[in-house]
Amino acid sequence: MRALVIDDSRAMRRIVSAALEGFGYETRQAGHGQEALDVLQEGYVPDLCTIDWNMPVMDGLQFVSAVRANPAWRALTLMMVTSESEQGQIVRALAAGAHEYVIKPFTADALRDKLALLGMLPEEAVL
Amino acid sequence: MTLAPDAVARPTIPELIDEATVEAIAGEAWVALVGEDEVLVPLPADLPAETLSAWVDVVGPWTGSVVLTTGRQTAADLTRALLGQAAPELLDHEDVADAFGEIANVVGGNVKAALPGPSTLGLPQVGEAPDVRNPADVCRLEVLWRGQPLVVSVQGALPALSTPHPNPPHPNGASL
């Protein structure tokens, strides 16, 4: 399975990528929503996108809306991974089309649990 | 004398959050980001002469900044702890600014969630800490991490900061 990790912090991209790779994912990274859209438009279509909220150029909510506006990307699973933890923000993200919401700080186990709920854990991580 | 409406209506931070809550938020961030065994000990100590600050602005019913300040070497040590095995052999300023800024972002985001909303959260900034504008509008937590001093300051901004632009260019460059 493939994941695109979208976060403006290099450190956080490394942390999320390392956790996902530990579960068996292949990962790519993008520093903001527009860069992630460029990756998708190049033809790299992952199974999962993890998306920070507050980023320069294009934020996570705008990215989710852009993905949901394109039927070609309907199968993408979108997971917000963000320090935005107000209830209203969570509702906005889910209403825009995100499937799941992980609040920073998180542990690898919490991320794994959310992926399991979505049925997005690669087989080797389930066994 | 008549007070400006803003001064009457806006609560100060001690009315909204206490040190124990900020300590719990910072402690949870440390365990999750820095390491399971990494604890913050609530003891005051003098900061060294060479410090680095990372902060995020919160704009809403309460407006201000959540600022983390520590010694430059401690900020570098935090970066190594955060990155773990992915840490480069030689850290540059961008590595430290990125990692320290992200810790401030996580702590700030969770402080924001504990305050009345809705509020917006700015992008992390790193450098010299913003000035305290109103000493009565500050919640200051002094802790030790691995024996080194670190300060978390939730400090109001009066007059109010402007609302952060939703997608400004990153204040510390694209790498943050």
Side-chain angles (χ1 to χ4, degrees), chain B residues 50-54 68-72 75-76 93 96-97 100 126-129:
Chain B
E50 293 272 307
T51 62
L52 188 67
S53 293
L68 273 60
T69 302
T70 193
R72 286 183 175 269
H93 175 73
V96 177
F100 197 31
V126 178
E128 196 173 321

Side-chain angles (χ1 to χ4, degrees), chain A residues 15-102:
Chain A
I15 289 169
V16 175
S17 296
L20 292 174
E21 286 163 10
F23 304 148
Y25 273 90
E26 292 175 20
T27 65
R28 277 187 68 169
Q29 301 180 4
H32 51 71
Q34 185 57 56
E35 191 180 330
L37 282 182
D38 292 345
V39 170
L40 297 181
Q41 280 159 354
E42 284 167 14
Y44 180 87
V45 182
D47 303 284
L48 169 74
C49 291
T50 67
I51 310 149
D52 186 20
W53 188 303
N54 292 306
M55 296 182 286
V57 186
M58 176 188 281
D59 70 26
L61 194 64
Q62 291 170 318
F63 173 77
V64 169
S65 299
V67 167
R68 286 294 167 246
N70 186 334
W73 298 329
R74 193 175 295 149
L76 268 177
T77 297
L78 305 179
M79 176 185 279
M80 302 298 293
V81 179
T82 173
S83 58
E84 284 283 359
S85 49
E86 284 181 21
Q87 192 65 30
Q89 304 285 68
I90 296 172
V91 170
R92 282 178 69 198
L94 297 177
H99 293 90
E100 193 48 273
Y101 203 100
V102 176

Side-chain angles (χ1 to χ4, degrees), chain B residues 55-76:
Chain B
W55 68 96
V56 288
D57 293 334
V58 176
V59 178
W62 179 84
T63 290
S65 305
V66 181
V67 187
L68 273 60
T69 302
T70 193
R72 286 183 175 269
Q73 182 57 51
T74 307

Side-chain angles (χ1 to χ4, degrees), chain B residues 90-101:
Chain B
L90 287 175
L91 290 176
D92 59 25
H93 175 73
E94 279 194 8
D95 291 318
V96 177
D98 175 74
F100 197 31

